[in-house]
């Protein structure tokens, strides 16, 4: 059941990141995939620098959204 929560949080984070990024991201499907990958990336980045944003759903959503925003930004650099 935990894996399903990661996917749901990643999807919500991808939608939020797409809305926060200038230009709305890359479409709903890509934003959802980026959200799932960004969730993993955000958790890894926060763990790497030693920042604990919380263990609940809200903390996971924050780290996933920041990871998805970072990933959308990197992808947008290569998309030009």
């Amino acid at each position: 059941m935990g894996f399903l929560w990661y996917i749901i949080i990643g999807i919500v984070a991808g939608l939020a990141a797409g809305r926060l990024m200038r230009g709305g991201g890359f479409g709903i499907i890509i934003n959802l995939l980026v959200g799932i990958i960004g969730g993993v990336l955000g958790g890894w980045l926060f763990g790497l620098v030693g920042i604990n944003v919380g263990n609940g759903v809200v903390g996971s959503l924050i780290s996933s959204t920041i990871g998805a925003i970072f990933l959308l930004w990197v992808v947008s650099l290569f998309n030009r």
Side-chain angles (χ1 to χ4, degrees):
M1 187 68 179
F3 185 70
L4 182 62
W5 279 112
Y6 287 134
I7 292 175
I8 292 170
I9 289 172
I11 289 171
V12 172
L15 289 173
R19 297 283 183 207
L20 292 173
M21 289 294 292
R22 182 182 53 182
F26 296 102
I28 189 128
I29 301 297
I30 300 299
N31 285 350
L32 297 179
L33 292 174
V34 166
I36 293 170
I37 297 168
V40 173
L41 181 67
W44 179 71
L45 286 174
F46 278 106
L48 189 66
V49 295
I51 297 174
N52 185 11
V53 291
N55 294 330
V57 173
V58 175
S60 296
L61 186 60
I62 290 170
S63 66
S64 295
T65 304
I66 292 173
I69 289 171
F70 178 74
L71 189 58
L72 278 174
W73 177 72
V74 169
V75 168
S76 71
L77 292 176
F78 292 108
N79 194 21
R80 296 179 195 232

